[in-house]
Amino acid sequence: DEFGRLLRGLNCHVNIIPLNPTDGFDGKPAKMPNVKTFIKRLESYGVAATPRTRRGLDIEAGCGQLTQTLEKKEAKKASEGGGGGGTGRS
């Protein structure tokens, strides 16, 4: 209800994005009946909301997954490259 009160009277629309699976986080997406209840609660405050369709899961490009993939690549580069940063002088 706090979220509904916060947004009441604002010209806004809430996109409800399902949680996508990522390594290191065991959370699960909300079940559709719970999402519908949440939408009804928001609507009772005059706030429009839409559940979004999950996309990109098959190529690990869903919301939250791209960041995780990039972080893994950067960590791997750093561990393989040793960090660099030297001047090249002896």
Side-chain angles (χ1 to χ4, degrees):
D1 288 326
E2 186 176 343
F3 192 50
R5 285 191 298 272
L6 178 70
L7 298 179
R8 181 180 11 204
L10 296 177
N11 183 19
C12 65
H13 187 99
V14 175
N15 286 306
I16 301 171
I17 302 171
L19 179 68
N20 290 315
T22 54
D23 291 339
F25 183 72
D26 294 329
K28 306 275 187 250
K31 297 194 184 308
M32 190 50 72
N34 295 338
V35 171
K36 289 180 179 180
T37 298
F38 182 63
I39 289 171
K40 286 182 182 181
R41 302 274 299 262
L42 289 175
E43 288 174 345
S44 75
Y45 288 93
V47 178
T50 303
R52 307 310 293 185
T53 302
R54 298 173 89 190
R55 297 179 191 267
L57 296 178
D58 56 330
I59 58 170
E60 293 188 359
C63 187
Q65 293 177 318
L66 289 174
T67 299
Q68 181 186 32
T69 300
L70 179 61
E71 288 172 353
K72 283 181 182 177
K73 285 181 181 178
E74 288 175 353
K76 184 176 180 184
K77 251 190 208 177
S79 69
E80 290 174 350
T87 61
R89 290 188 249 167
S90 299

